[in-house]
Amino acid sequence: MKVYQTNEIKNIALLGSSGSGKTTLVEAMLFESGVIKRRGSVAAKNTVSDYFPVEQEYGYSVFSTVLHVEWNNKKLNIIDCPGSDDFVGSTVTALNVTDTAIILLNGQYGVEVGTQNHFRYTEKLNKPVIFLVNQLDNEKCDYDNILEQLKEAYGSKVVPIQYPIATGPGFNALIDVLLMKKYSWKPEGGAPTIEDIPAEEMDKAMELHKALVESAAEHDDMLMEKFFEEGTLSEDDMRAGIRAGLVIRGMFPVFCVCAGRDMCVRRTLEFLGNVVPCTDKMPRPVTTEGVEVTPDSNGPTSLFFFKTTVEPHIGQVSYFKVISGKVKEGDDLLNADRGSKERIAQLFSVAGQTRNAVTEMVAGDIGATVKLKDVRRGNTLNGKGCDYRFDFIKYPDPKYRRAVKPVNEADAEKMMEILMRMREEDPTWIIEQSKELKQTIVSGQGEFHLRTLKWRIENNDKLPI
C-alpha cells in the first residue's frame, strides 16, 4: 500500500440509527474498492465490521470499527459507529478524530431519534454532514417524504444531489443532478449503466440541478460571480462549491444508496473521494496548552491514541491518529501522559479485523499498532523535542447505575480487572467502589449498555456475575 500524503487522506465517521444499514454499506464499500473479495452479511455473521462475539450475538454493532478504502488515489478512513445511543462513546470518539460525518437513513423510517441525536453531536463538534438515504428497495420507502422530513428538521441547507426514479422492491435507477445523468443497475448491482436523463424526468432534474448550482455558488464569492455572469457552473466548480459549503456546514447534501443490493455504492465513493474535504482543510486540533496543531507531515511527530481493543490471539490493539509529522516502523516515541518510552514495532492500516502492514503514516492518517507497553486510550506519543498533549474528547455523563458482584466472592479481584479493561475500551463506563454501600457500582449509558457488559463478562471471560 502506498504512503498517502495529508492532502490525499479523508477521514469519515459513518453514523445512523440501529438498522439503518451501516455495516452492510461498509461491506459493499470494501467489496467495491477491492479490500474484500466477497460481501458478507449481518445475518450470516461474517461481516468485516461486526466481528466481536457480542455483536454477532445481538446482531448489531457494539464497538466502532476502523476501516479504510482506496478510491481514485485517495485514502478514505471510515469509522463505522454503533447506532444505539447506549454506545454513544464510540460515536463521540469517531467524530473527534474524523472530519466529515455521513448520516445514514433507513428508507422505511426516515428521520429517527437516532438521526437527530447524531446530528446534534455533529453540530456540537461543527462537522460537515452528508445525508445518505439507504434501503430504497423497501416497499415502505418514500424518498420525497424523507426529503421533506430532512428539510423540516434542518432547513434549506438540505440539498438533494440524487433522487430515485421509483422506490420499492423494483428500485434500480436514479437521477444524479450534479452530473445530470441517469444511473441504473442490473439486479446484481455493482457497476451502473450511465445514460442521458429521459425526457419525462428532465423538468424535475433541471429544477433540482438549478437549486444545487445556486447552493454551491453561495459559499464562494468567485463562484457566485461566475454564476451571475454565466448562469451556471461547471462540474468542477460545483464540486468546489459543495466542498466549501460542507466545511462551514452551509449545506447538507442528500445522496441515495441501496447497500444490500450494491447499488450507487461506487457513486457514493466517487463523491467522497472527489468532494469531501481532506484533513488539511479542516479546523486544527488544539493541545492542552491551547496550541493549534497543523497536520504537517514535515512537523514534529505526534500521535493521539483514541481507541483500544483487546482481541483474542493478539492482545491489545491501539488505534491512533497522526496529528503531526510522520511515524515509521521502529520509531521510539515518548508518552506525554505517562512519561514512558514506546517503540512502534509495527504499523497497520486497518479494515476491521484485517490489518495491512505499512512502513509509514503521515499527518492526518489513522492507523493501529500492537503490543505497546504502557499506552492507554487518550494518550499522546511524541517524537524528540515535541511536547504536545491532547485531551479534546469530552464524553457524556452516565445515565444508568447498577451494583455488580461476582456470583463467587473469590472472583471479586478478577471482576475488577475485567471491568477496568472494559472501561479502557469504552470510556463511557464509570466504575466506582462505594464505601458506604460496600458495593461495586457500574454506571453506563442505558439498560442495553449494561446488559451487553454482563453478556461479555459471562461469555467472553466466563465469569458469572
Side-chain angles (χ1 to χ4, degrees):
M1 185 178 178
K2 79 166 201 168
V3 176
Y4 284 87
Q5 297 310 306
T6 307
N7 62 356
E8 301 171 318
I9 296 164
K10 306 190 176 203
N11 297 321
I12 299 157
L14 179 57
L15 315 176
S17 297
S18 296
S20 58
K22 297 180 297 297
T23 300
T24 306
L25 173 62
V26 158
E27 201 71 11
M29 286 175 161
L30 293 170
F31 174 71
E32 284 295 346
S33 60
V35 176
I36 56 175
K37 295 289 172 271
R38 58 185 292 272
R39 293 189 296 147
S41 73
V42 174
K45 303 184 178 186
N46 61 351
T47 57
V48 172
S49 201
D50 290 354
Y51 60 91
F52 282 95
V54 66
E55 296 177 308
Q56 294 177 350
E57 168 70 17
Y58 284 117
Y60 49 88
S61 307
V62 167
F63 303 100
S64 62
T65 307
V66 179
L67 311 127
H68 76 274
V69 302
E70 295 173 87
W71 196 266
N72 201 8
N73 294 318
K74 297 283 190 293
K75 185 183 182 198
L76 309 178
N77 290 314
I78 299 167
I79 304 185
D80 173 20
C81 301
S84 167
D85 210 37
D86 281 39
F87 307 109
V88 66
S90 297
T91 304
V92 171
T93 301
L95 281 171
N96 272 280
V97 295
T98 55
D99 305 306
T100 303
I102 293 175
I103 299 184
L104 197 62
L105 294 130
N106 183 326
Q108 56 178 323
Y109 302 127
V111 176
E112 299 177 73
V113 173
T115 315
Q116 293 168 332
N117 287 344
H118 287 151
F119 188 87
R120 263 201 301 276
Y121 293 125
T122 67
E123 207 166 25
K124 210 172 171 182
L125 294 165
N126 205 26
K127 299 289 176 176
V129 170
I130 296 162
F131 289 110
L132 192 53
V133 182
N134 188 22
Q135 299 167 18
L136 295 164
D137 59 340
N138 190 291
E139 57 189 24
K140 291 183 182 162
C141 177
D142 181 345
Y143 177 81
D144 292 336
N145 183 39
I146 292 171
L147 204 53
E148 268 318 299
Q149 289 177 15
L150 286 169
K151 285 185 171 174
E152 209 172 289
Y154 309 117
S156 59
K157 291 180 179 181
V158 173
V159 184
I161 288 185
Q162 298 171 329
Y163 70 89
I165 292 174
T167 54
F171 167 77
N172 70 346
L174 55 77
I175 304 294
D176 189 304
V177 300
L178 169 57
L179 302 179
M180 285 306 276
K181 291 288 177 191
K182 175 191 171 189
Y183 280 66
S184 55
W185 291 267
K186 292 185 176 137
E188 68 277 10
T193 302
I194 305 171
E195 307 163 286
D196 290 335
I197 295 174
E200 65 273 15
E201 292 294 332
M202 197 45 112
D203 286 352
K204 183 177 180 181
M206 279 309 295
E207 191 186 323
L208 291 173
H209 177 74
K210 194 164 168 280
L212 178 60
V213 171
E214 284 176 19
S215 184
E218 240 172 61
H219 306 105
D220 184 310
D221 293 343
M222 276 165 63
L223 290 180
M224 191 57 120
E225 222 166 275
K226 196 170 178 184
F227 173 60
F228 283 136
E229 278 171 22
E230 299 173 19
T232 187
L233 294 175
S234 69
E235 268 173 40
D236 284 343
D237 285 341
M238 284 169 75
R239 288 191 184 104
I242 294 167
R243 191 179 304 117
L246 277 169
V247 170
I248 59 165
R249 284 176 61 91
M251 72 183 291
F252 307 126
V254 185
F255 252 71
C256 298
V257 73
C258 186
R261 287 162 65 183
D262 190 9
M263 294 177 179
C264 210
V265 175
R266 288 181 184 211
R267 175 69 185 110
T268 303
L269 285 169
E270 197 180 284
F271 181 78
L272 297 176
N274 287 336
V275 180
V276 162
C278 287
T279 192
D280 60 338
K281 297 285 182 280
M282 298 303 292
R284 317 286 188 235
V286 176
T287 68
T288 50
E289 303 285 311
V291 177
E292 226 177 60
V293 180
T294 304
D296 177 5
S297 58
N298 297 313
T301 298
S302 188
L303 315 184
F304 176 71
F305 284 79
F306 64 88
K307 174 179 158 74
T308 300
T309 60
V310 178
E311 299 189 16
H313 318 302
I314 298 166
Q316 187 166 303
V317 181
S318 304
Y319 295 83
F320 61 84
K321 181 176 186 178
V322 186
I323 304 284
S324 168
K326 51 177 77 109
V327 61
K328 297 185 184 72
E329 271 186 353
D331 278 0
D332 289 313
L333 303 174
L334 183 69
N335 189 326
D337 299 83
R338 304 172 75 80
S340 48
K341 282 188 179 160
E342 294 284 351
R343 171 160 287 193
I344 306 290
Q346 293 167 291
L347 279 177
F348 300 103
S349 204
V350 190
Q353 250 179 322
T354 310
R355 282 172 279 275
N356 303 319
V358 292
T359 52
E360 180 181 313
M361 285 186 155
V362 309
D365 211 347
I366 288 173
T369 186
V370 293
K371 299 186 170 44
L372 295 178
K373 298 195 303 281
D374 190 30
V375 172
R376 305 277 183 274
R377 173 195 37 77
N379 286 178
T380 309
L381 292 192
N382 293 322
K384 217 175 243 169
C386 178
D387 59 358
Y388 295 153
R389 229 185 112 235
F390 299 97
D391 180 23
F392 48 74
I393 306 181
K394 302 288 175 263
Y395 294 102
D397 293 330
K399 303 176 180 74
Y400 212 87
R401 303 172 79 223
R402 277 280 178 273
V404 57
K405 64 178 183 178
V407 170
N408 180 354
E409 284 297 323
D411 289 329
E413 203 173 308
K414 186 181 176 190
M415 181 190 77
M416 276 310 288
E417 270 172 35
I418 295 165
L419 287 173
M420 296 322 280
R421 186 192 73 217
M422 287 171 78
R423 179 162 201 275
E424 184 61 24
E425 292 180 315
D426 180 350
T428 61
W429 289 119
I430 306 292
I431 320 291
E432 54 182 315
Q433 298 275 25
S434 169
K435 285 188 177 125
E436 299 81 53
L437 300 171
K438 297 187 171 54
Q439 285 178 325
T440 301
I441 310 284
V442 175
S443 305
Q445 292 297 314
E447 189 186 350
F448 184 50
H449 201 201
L450 281 128
R451 208 164 65 232
T452 307
L453 175 118
K454 188 174 194 294
W455 190 96
R456 288 175 63 201
I457 294 174
E458 297 193 325
N459 289 274
N460 296 353
D461 297 287
K462 311 292 183 225
L463 182 75
I465 60 166

